[in-house]
Amino acid sequence: MNTQNLFLFPVPRHIVFESGLWLKPNQLSVQISPSSLLDQGGRESMIIHRLLEITSMPFAAVDREQEHKPAFSFKYNGQISEQGYHLSIQENGVTIEYADLAGLNYSLITLKQIYNQCSNTIPYLKIKDAPDLKVRGLMLDIGRDKIPLCTRCID
């Protein structure tokens, strides 16, 4: 795939494409490193649910001591800013580091966009992202355009 055609929204703060392509595996394996997040079960079930949604393939959990390298690795990193994440796709698979559940969620949203836009191979890349503002929102001000006039309301 031509990396110029990869469209990600919202656009990550920092993205670097590298030479090489990662071949999507036939069966996915997942490694989830322990974290200090309080809701361990919620985090793991969120990862599993979202990966099933992204890949539509069954996968197996991988123990940290096994020699087999998992296709997807998830690691908590307290050094990343709030709601931030680091996503890396390299020869050994996809690695996601996150600061909190929001960062984990945003990384999975980005991964889904990448996965959907690439066929059997994904370009090697590294993404570092965090929001500019902690509170995200959208304001729709319909008063800046034509306002519908109701003749029954005017007396």
Side-chain angles (χ1 to χ4, degrees):
M1 129 160 247
N2 182 356
T3 57
Q4 306 294 328
N5 296 333
L6 193 59
F7 176 75
L8 301 175
F9 186 80
V11 178
R13 275 189 182 184
H14 185 48
I15 182 167
V16 176
F17 289 95
E18 299 176 347
S19 62
L21 296 171
W22 180 63
L23 181 63
K24 291 180 183 177
N26 293 330
Q27 180 170 356
L28 304 177
S29 54
V30 180
Q31 180 183 40
I32 303 172
S33 297
S35 77
S36 62
L37 295 177
L38 296 175
D39 184 17
Q40 295 291 328
R43 176 182 61 104
E44 291 179 9
S45 64
M46 178 177 133
I47 291 171
I48 292 168
H49 175 75
R50 296 296 294 278
L51 281 178
L52 285 172
E53 177 186 306
I54 292 168
T55 64
S56 302
M57 300 175 85
F59 61 89
V62 174
D63 191 10
R64 290 196 314 162
E65 282 97 35
Q66 285 183 345
E67 291 182 19
H68 174 71
K69 188 72 177 163
F72 292 88
S73 296
F74 294 87
K75 301 174 186 172
Y76 170 78
N77 183 342
Q79 303 300 315
I80 299 174
S81 62
E82 232 179 289
Q83 300 181 32
Y85 65 90
H86 297 171
L87 187 151
S88 174
I89 300 176
Q90 300 295 313
E91 180 181 356
N92 54 359
V94 177
T95 302
I96 293 177
E97 295 183 25
Y98 56 92
D100 52 19
L101 288 176
L104 176 60
N105 182 49
Y106 295 132
S107 69
L108 290 168
I109 290 170
T110 302
L111 179 62
K112 182 176 183 178
Q113 292 177 56
I114 294 168
Y115 222 83
N116 287 340
Q117 293 178 47
C118 299
S119 56
N120 291 331
T121 58
I122 299 176
Y124 291 168
L125 57 84
K126 291 183 180 180
I127 295 176
K128 292 183 180 181
D129 194 25
D132 292 327
L133 303 170
K134 290 183 184 176
V135 179
R136 300 175 188 221
L138 171 71
M139 183 179 88
L140 179 60
D141 185 0
I142 64 166
R144 304 249 180 212
D145 200 2
K146 296 177 182 175
I147 300 175
L149 180 63
C150 177
T151 55
R152 288 183 284 168
C153 301
I154 302 175
D155 284 329

